[in-house]
Amino acid sequence: MEMQRTTRDRIRSLDRAIGPWMRAKRRAAGLSMAELGRLLGVSHQQIQKYEAGVDRVSGGTLLVVAEELNGGEPPTLLELERMLGEDES
């Protein structure tokens, strides 16, 4: 049972790390939340929720963000784990 809890916790942590990754890529591209929202067909409030880790980012949305902001490359696990470390500091 402990193994399952640890795995679930890691999944939740990685899900939360996608938001800061999106924020970093959006800012590097010089886009506002509203501009990224228009690209994805969602409101700037939804982008805010994604970036804050309040709402999970679907796989499809993650791939579109990667195409638009990261040359088609989705985040690696290493990048996401690094984002987690930065959030904890």
Side-chain angles (χ1 to χ4, degrees):
M1 196 62 132
E2 186 64 34
M3 179 82 147
Q4 273 187 321
R5 188 171 310 133
T6 303
T7 300
R8 280 195 310 259
D9 290 345
R10 184 163 185 248
I11 290 169
R12 286 186 192 116
S13 292
L14 290 170
D15 283 345
R16 282 192 306 272
I18 290 171
W21 178 86
M22 279 182 62
R23 181 183 313 113
K25 296 301 177 180
R26 175 183 60 78
R27 288 178 174 170
L31 293 177
S32 68
M33 287 184 193
E35 290 167 325
L36 179 56
R38 278 192 292 278
L39 282 171
L40 298 177
V42 300
S43 68
H44 75 277
Q45 291 96 336
Q46 185 61 54
I47 299 300
Q48 191 172 32
K49 289 177 184 180
Y50 288 154
E51 291 184 359
V54 173
D55 287 357
R56 291 175 117 180
V57 178
S58 72
T61 298
L62 182 60
L63 290 176
V64 171
V65 169
E67 287 173 359
E68 295 293 332
L69 304 182
N70 201 41
E73 293 294 322
T76 64
L77 288 175
L78 182 61
E79 283 180 290
L80 294 177
E81 288 176 340
R82 193 172 334 137
M83 297 303 282
L84 284 173
E86 290 173 10
D87 277 357
E88 292 170 1
S89 357

